[in-house]
Amino acid sequence: VTLILPARAAAELVRILPETEDEVALTLSANQLSLAVQDTQVVSRLIEGVYPDYTQIIPKETGTSVTLARAELAAAVKMASLFARDSAGHIRLKFLPDKGLDIEAVSPSAGKNTATIQAEVTGEALEVAFNAKYVLDALNALTAPQVVLSSTGVDRPGILRPVGDDTSLALVMPLRLDA
C-alpha cells in the first residue's frame, strides 16, 4: 500500500511512537490513516494523488565533485551567507581542480567574501551558484564528518552525499549565474 501522509502528521507519529515493543494498530480507510499505540490514537487525513517521482531530477552521472569536511564547508558557506544577504543568499561555488573549492559572495554594502577550502576536485573546473540557506540546510541534515559535493553543470542540481553512505543525499537546485 502506498499513501501520502501530511508532514505534520508524520512528525507527530515519530514523536509519539515509543521505542518499545508495544503493538501498533494501523487502520487505513479511503482517505484516513489511524494509528493506535498504548492509550494514544492519531488519525490523519491522507493526501490524495501520487507522490512525484523525485528520482528523475537526481543526476545519474557524477560530473565535477569535491570531497571535504562537512563542518569546514558549513562554516565557509555560513560566512559567505552573511555577505550574500543583499543578494537574496546568492553564493558562487567554484570547483577548481588545481586548488580546491572557492566559495564567494558579494555584497554592495559590505564588500566581497571569498573562502578557499583545500580539497581534491575530480572533473573539470566548474562554477555554480546556490542559495546559501539551502546549502546550509542540506549540510545540517547530513551528519557524516566528510561529504562529497558534486554537480554536472551550471544549470543542474548540486548533490551532497555523506562519504561512506549511499543511502542519503541532499539535492540543492542552482541559481542562474549573473554575467
Side-chain angles (χ1 to χ4, degrees), residues 1-48:
V1 173
T2 302
L3 54 91
I4 304 174
L5 194 61
R8 191 173 192 179
E12 187 67 19
L13 292 177
V14 168
R15 188 183 68 76
I16 65 168
L17 284 175
E19 294 185 19
T20 65
E21 299 292 322
D22 291 341
E23 189 172 305
V24 177
L26 290 174
T27 307
L28 183 63
S29 69
N31 63 354
Q32 285 187 349
L33 173 72
S34 172
L35 178 132
V37 60
Q38 295 175 347
D39 60 349
T40 304
Q41 182 175 11
V42 174
V43 178
S44 175
R45 187 173 216 62
L46 299 175
I47 297 174
E48 293 182 24

Side-chain angles (χ1 to χ4, degrees), residues 68-72 143-147 162-163:
L68 35 83
R70 183 184 59 83
E72 189 176 1
T143 57
Q146 295 280 112
V147 294
V163 171

Side-chain angles (χ1 to χ4, degrees), residues 15 20 25 47-48 51 54-55 74 100 103 123 138 157 171:
R15 188 183 68 76
T20 65
I47 297 174
E48 293 182 24
Y51 196 77
Y54 62 89
T55 60
I103 301 165
L171 181 117

Side-chain angles (χ1 to χ4, degrees), residues 59-128:
K60 306 297 183 238
E61 60 279 344
T62 305
T64 302
S65 66
V66 61
T67 303
L68 35 83
R70 183 184 59 83
E72 189 176 1
L73 178 58
V77 171
K78 191 171 189 177
M79 177 61 74
S81 73
L82 298 175
F83 285 80
R85 286 183 183 163
D86 295 342
S87 61
H90 187 116
I91 61 171
R92 292 176 185 241
L93 301 182
K94 298 177 183 178
F95 296 79
L96 306 169
D98 57 337
K99 189 176 176 184
L101 182 70
D102 275 0
I103 301 165
E104 182 180 289
V106 178
S107 167
S109 61
K112 180 177 179 179
N113 172 264
T114 303
T116 300
I117 300 175
Q118 299 295 323
E120 186 176 331
V121 175
T122 306
E124 298 183 15
L126 178 66
E127 182 176 348
V128 185

